[in-house]
Structures are given as C-alpha cells and as structure tokens.
Amino acid sequence: MTTLDKKKHIKARIHRALFCRPSESRGIGIQWRLLGYLSLFIAFALIVLWVFQVHMLVPFYENIKRREMGQTADGLALALENEGATLPSSVFDDAVWEYAETYNTCIQVWRVEGDRARIVASADISDGCIIHHISGDRIARLYRLAKEEGGTYSGKVKFHRGGMIWMDNDGTVRESTQIPDEEVKNPVIAHKNDDVSAVLARIKTGADGMEYVIMLDSELEPLNAMVSTLYAQFSWIALILLVSALILAWMMSRRISRPLVRMNESARILAEGNYDVRFSGQGYRETRELAQTLNFAADELSKTDRLQKELIANISHDLRTPLTLITGYGEVMRDLPGENTPENVQVIIDEAEHLSGLVNDLLDLSRLQSGVRAPEAERFDLTATVRKTMERYDKLIRHEGYSIRFTADRSVEVIADRTLILQAVYNLINNAVNYCGADRVVEVEQRVIDGAVRILVRDHGAGIEAEQLPYIWDRYYKVDRVHRRAMIGTGLGLSIVKGALEAHGAQYGVNSTPGEGSEFWFELPLAPEEDLGEE
C-alpha cells in the first residue's frame, strides 16, 4: 500500500468513526457508563453487606457456637478414648475447665454405671447455664436423644411462659413441656423466659470400657436488639455510602473521560484536514499512549498530504513539459515554412518517447505495488547483466563527459526475475547520473559477501540528510524540494527499485553523507552451484 493509499485509508476510517455513525454517537458516553457501573457495584456491595452482616447475623452466630461446641466435644472425647478413667481427675478437670473458658461453654461429663450415672467432671462458668440446673429426667432426655441420633445430639432449648421447647438446629420441634414447679422456683430457670440455649450431648466409650456422656450448654445471646440496631444503622450507612460513592464515581468518571473528550474533539478537527492539531492525554498512561499514537498519525497524515500535493505537482510538471514542447514544435513546423526539419521532428519524437517512458514507469510501479507483476525466477549471470546495462550509457560517456565504471571480483549467478533486477540496476544508475557531483563520476561495484552478492551504485553528489533517507524511496520524493526534470529517466526510478527488490524479498538500502555523495545497494543470494555429475 502506497503512502497515498495509506493516507486515504486513515482519513476514511477517521471520517467513518466520527461522522458516519450518528446512532452510536447518541449512545451513552463513557462518563455516564462508568458512573452507572460504579453505582451498580456499590449497590451490590451494600446488598452483600446487608445480607451477611444483618440478615444472616443470627444463623452465622449460631453456627459458630455449634462449631465451638463440636470442637470441645471432640477434644474431650479424644481424651476419654485415649486415657479414660486412668487419667488423674485433676488433669481431666483442668482440660474441662480450659475448654469451658476458651469457648464460654458449660460442661458436664457423666459416667454411666448400669442404670445409674455419676458426674466425673463439671465446669459451670455461666449464670444462665441450664444443664447444671435442670432435673435428672431432662438430663436423661438428652442422653436418650443422643442414643437415638447415633451417639451425638445437637439442638436448642427455648424457654417460654413456664415451658421448654426442645428443637433440632433446623427448627424441628422434638418436645414441648411445662417446667415443673420445683424447677420454676430455681432463680436461673425463672429468669430464662424467651432465652435460647444450644445444647450438645455425645456418648463415648472410654479407654476403661465404660460409657461416658459429654453434655455441653452454651447460652445464645439474644441478638434481636442488636439486629434491630444494625437495621437502623445500616439504613443511614447505606444512604451515606451511596451518596458519597456516587459523588466519587462522578468525579472519577469526569477525570477519566475528560482527556478522551478532548482527544475526540481534536480527532474531529483532524478529520476535517487540519493536521496541525495536537492531542493531549494527560492523567493516565493509556490516554498518554493514545495521544502519542494519534499525534504520530497526524504527523504521518500531514507528510502524506504534502507528498500527495507534491506528487500531483510533479506529475503535472513532467507531463506538461514534453506536451508543451511537442505542441510548440508542431505549431512552428505548421506555421513557418522551412521549419519542417529533421531536428525539430527528432525533438517531437524524443518528447513523445519521454511521455511513453513516464506512462510505462507509472504502470510498472502500479503493478509492482499491487502485486499484479509477480517475479518469474530464472537462473542468470548477474555480472553479465550489469555489464550489458552499462552499454546504454556509452553516449553519456563519449559526449557528455561522464565516467561510469563497473568493477567485479568475479562472475556470479543468481536465481531471480532477470527483467526486474535489470530495471533495478538501470534505475539506480540513472539516479546516480542525475545527482552525481561536478566530477560526473558514477561507480558501480559488485561484492560477494557470505553467500550473497551485493551491487553498489555510488555517486559523489550533494548527498542526503539522515532524516530524509526513509522517504527517498517514495515516488517523486525530492530531497531538495525543487522539482527539476530528470536528465535520464522519469523520476520514478527509486520507487521502481523498491518495488522490484521487495518483490524478491531482497535487502536494500542507502548510505549517504551530505557533501560527499550517496551509495545505494541491494543484495541477492547466490545461486547454488550446479551438479554436473560424473562424465
């Protein structure tokens, strides 16, 4: 794709993006979209907070208490299983009290002896403990529930209006009974109206072969008042956080979208053809990088626009000059007797040939750049081809005082399109002739380097500035910015060279020193040696 084609492509994309999608331009902008996303996230976070910190507070609390009671029962059961009655009573009591104080749980450990049971360890650390204040029948009830559940029972006991409700952890009611008068008179039981306690009973066989019953009781703190308080606080907290978050999200969205809005406005100016516009993306790395990319695109568009104008002006100049000469000499030959001379006819023929060469070069360049002209590889002697090309310059050498020399260390063969390579060599020499210095010396050299052959064309002209080197391969690019008609060729030589060499995938380049001259070169791989076989 040529620089002109790239420039047209970029302009078309910018124009479509900015002006050809009115339905999308009326959509939600980044500022409001970001504000909406942040608002949704904040609302989601508040919902999660409400569910886990308020609505699920009681279930979480009860699960934690049951897990702690389970860990206590596991530890005591392990002690009984390993040591049992062989444990010194003081050691086991210390373990019971340590668990009780760690998890704020009342503990009783019973040993079943036939139809009777006796307490072997006890820790009463709470004024609201029920296993230390209910009757033996209710203790026996817990024992039976543990038997029915396979050795472990975990549930809750709720007191209400002189009665007790025994229920499982999922709320299933096991039993609802009235509290006997003798228990109602107990100060602990009397003050437990509407209270709930978690209970656990586990049956375990000790190391001594005896059956033990571990009973745990932990009072569940009434959280209704706390939940009501959290409800009230949450309403205010949610309102404050939501308002604050919306303000923060609005400020953040404006800060993020502001450089994008500015760049969008600058892009509209760029699409209108003003390439002097500058993009500013202060604030974030991504916007700064985008601004740098757009500034680079604007600079490239400016260069291609300038090259397009120069291209049109230069082609117009190259077409107008021979046409003017042809017309002028034709009118002179028509209007003035005796002017129909061979010299005037030759001028017309030469200018017509120049026009034909210009058209052919433009066609060749277009075919190369579009890929229509594909290389047709063949094996040929590159050294002989260059020597044959040098014969075209005999007239310049004899009559114009030029010195065009070719040196080669040996003859080499390559596999390539002979016609395209010939065009490349011919146009490089033409370019050197057009820009050589006062000495009118052009040197063509062949070197063999690491399995490749390099062709160099050197002149002693004015040279090229380093910043202009990347552009000299563009069609009609002029280093001195003053267009003059090429003495040899049509001015498209380097573009044709570039197309021919890139079609072969060959390496090429230029080395130039201002005031000393330029050296153009290209490389092709040597053809493998042919195996002639044994005679």
Side-chain angles (χ1 to χ4, degrees):
M1 183 181 292
T2 65
T3 54
L4 177 59
D5 296 333
K6 292 179 181 178
K7 185 252 184 184
K8 290 181 178 179
H9 179 66
I10 295 173
K11 282 192 68 176
R13 291 188 63 180
I14 294 177
H15 187 273
R16 287 197 303 270
L18 296 178
F19 303 112
C20 299
R21 299 181 181 177
S23 59
E24 293 184 12
S25 64
R26 291 194 297 267
I28 301 175
I30 184 174
Q31 176 178 342
W32 294 106
R33 192 177 295 275
L34 180 60
L35 179 61
Y37 289 151
L38 289 175
S39 301
L40 288 176
F41 174 76
I42 292 164
F44 174 76
L46 289 174
I47 290 174
V48 172
L49 183 63
W50 177 81
V51 169
F52 285 94
Q53 293 295 317
V54 179
H55 183 69
M56 299 295 293
L57 179 62
V58 174
F60 266 83
Y61 171 69
E62 292 182 356
N63 284 334
I64 291 173
K65 295 301 292 185
R66 284 194 293 270
R67 184 172 64 249
E68 293 175 349
M69 294 172 69
Q71 292 172 351
T72 301
D74 291 340
L76 294 177
L78 183 62
L80 290 170
E81 184 179 1
N82 291 337
E83 301 295 340
T86 61
L87 275 174
S89 59
S90 60
V91 175
F92 191 67
D93 284 344
D94 290 343
V96 169
W97 275 100
E98 183 178 353
Y99 276 111
E101 291 173 350
T102 301
Y103 297 114
N104 194 29
T105 301
C106 292
I107 303 173
Q108 278 189 344
V109 180
W110 297 71
R111 183 165 60 193
V112 180
E113 299 173 348
D115 294 335
R116 301 178 62 83
R118 70 180 182 87
I119 297 176
V120 296
S122 178
D124 185 1
I125 63 169
S126 173
D127 294 337
C129 177
I130 63 171
I131 61 174
H132 289 87
H133 299 93
I134 58 177
S135 64
D137 292 339
R138 301 197 184 280
I139 294 293
R141 174 62 175 164
L142 274 175
Y143 173 74
R144 289 193 298 271
L145 288 173
K147 280 283 190 181
E148 293 173 2
E149 296 296 329
T152 300
Y153 173 75
S154 176
K156 294 186 290 186
V157 177
K158 181 176 181 181
F159 297 85
H160 71 102
R161 297 181 182 180
M164 296 174 63
I165 300 177
W166 296 74
M167 66 183 94
D168 296 337
N169 291 322
D170 59 3
T172 303
V173 177
R174 288 277 189 165
E175 180 181 326
S176 179
T177 60
Q178 289 297 117
I179 301 176
D181 292 340
E182 62 272 17
E183 291 187 24
V184 173
K185 294 177 182 178
N186 188 305
V188 174
I189 301 299
H191 290 86
K192 290 186 70 65
N193 191 35
D194 294 330
D195 287 351
V196 180
S197 294
V199 294
L200 184 143
R202 178 170 296 179
I203 301 173
K204 190 67 177 177
T205 301
D208 55 0
M210 302 295 291
E211 187 177 67
Y212 291 84
V213 183
I214 303 170
M215 293 190 179
L216 308 175
D217 163 37
S218 181
E219 187 176 11
L220 299 178
E221 299 292 341
L223 301 180
N224 294 335
M226 183 184 296
V227 171
S228 299
T229 302
L230 290 177
Y231 268 118
Q233 287 185 344
F234 184 82
S235 301
W236 286 101
I237 293 173
L239 179 62
I240 294 172
L241 287 179
L242 189 59
V243 172
S244 301
L246 288 175
I247 294 174
L248 179 63
W250 180 77
M251 294 174 61
M252 290 176 58
S253 62
R254 278 185 58 84
R255 182 174 178 82
I256 293 174
S257 63
R258 188 182 295 116
L260 296 177
V261 172
R262 288 199 300 263
M263 283 191 283
N264 183 60
E265 294 173 353
S266 300
R268 291 180 181 273
I269 298 174
L270 175 64
E272 294 172 357
N274 183 357
Y275 304 115
D276 295 329
V277 64
R278 293 287 90 186
F279 293 88
S280 175
Q282 298 177 354
Y284 302 95
R285 176 176 57 84
E286 290 79 4
T287 54
R288 289 196 301 271
E289 292 177 353
L290 177 59
Q292 293 172 0
T293 302
L294 291 174
N295 284 327
F296 175 76
D299 293 339
E300 292 301 309
L301 285 173
S302 176
K303 294 175 183 177
T304 53
D305 182 69
R306 184 172 62 253
L307 289 176
Q308 177 193 15
K309 293 176 181 177
E310 292 176 1
L311 173 64
I312 294 174
N314 293 337
I315 290 180
S316 300
H317 179 276
D318 280 348
L319 290 174
R320 184 168 56 248
T321 300
L323 288 174
T324 301
L325 289 173
I326 291 172
T327 302
Y329 275 87
E331 291 176 348
V332 168
M333 293 170 62
R334 181 196 64 191
D335 297 336
L336 298 177
E339 290 297 326
N340 190 7
T341 63
E343 292 79 5
N344 290 341
V345 174
Q346 187 62 45
V347 169
I348 294 175
I349 294 173
D350 291 341
E351 295 304 323
E353 289 178 349
H354 182 79
L355 279 176
S356 177
L358 177 62
V359 172
N360 290 333
D361 283 352
L362 285 171
L363 289 175
D364 289 340
L365 184 59
S366 298
R367 291 191 188 101
L368 288 171
Q369 291 178 338
S370 63
V372 174
R373 172 70 164 88
E376 297 178 1
E378 62 175 304
R379 187 185 186 102
F380 66 95
D381 189 328
L382 178 63
T383 309
T385 300
V386 175
R387 293 189 189 280
K388 185 70 174 177
T389 304
M390 302 295 294
E391 297 176 1
R392 300 185 183 185
Y393 300 95
D394 288 344
K395 180 180 178 181
L396 283 174
I397 294 173
R398 290 197 307 268
H399 302 293
E400 301 292 339
Y402 283 87
S403 174
I404 305 177
R405 300 188 295 267
F406 174 57
T407 58
D409 48 0
R410 62 186 177 92
S411 295
V412 296
E413 291 185 341
V414 297
I415 297 177
D417 189 309
R418 188 177 185 278
T419 302
L420 290 180
I421 298 302
L422 178 62
Q423 275 187 312
V425 174
Y426 181 65
N427 281 287
L428 286 177
I429 297 175
N430 285 351
N431 182 76
V433 170
N434 288 327
Y435 293 98
C436 69
D439 60 358
R440 296 193 175 190
V441 173
V442 175
E443 299 174 358
V444 183
E445 182 181 353
Q446 174 189 292
R447 296 178 186 171
V448 177
I449 305 173
D450 297 331
V453 57
R454 173 177 288 196
I455 300 297
L456 304 99
V457 180
R458 188 181 302 111
D459 66 69
H460 303 148
I464 307 169
E465 298 291 341
E467 63 271 12
Q468 295 176 327
L469 290 177
Y471 307 105
I472 62 173
W473 306 98
D474 295 337
R475 66 173 85 177
Y476 275 113
Y477 183 84
K478 298 295 179 182
V479 173
D480 54 9
R481 295 302 185 207
V482 177
H483 182 73
R484 59 185 176 88
R485 188 178 182 186
M487 187 179 72
I488 299 179
T490 60
L492 297 173
L494 293 181
S495 296
I496 294 175
V497 171
K498 175 184 177 182
L501 295 177
E502 287 185 347
H504 286 82
Q507 294 184 351
Y508 64 94
V510 58
N511 304 312
S512 183
T513 302
E516 298 182 9
S518 303
E519 181 183 80
F520 290 82
W521 60 270
F522 70 88
E523 285 186 359
L524 291 172
L526 293 175
E529 296 184 3
E530 293 181 330
D531 186 5
L532 301 179
E534 297 182 359
E535 295 184 359

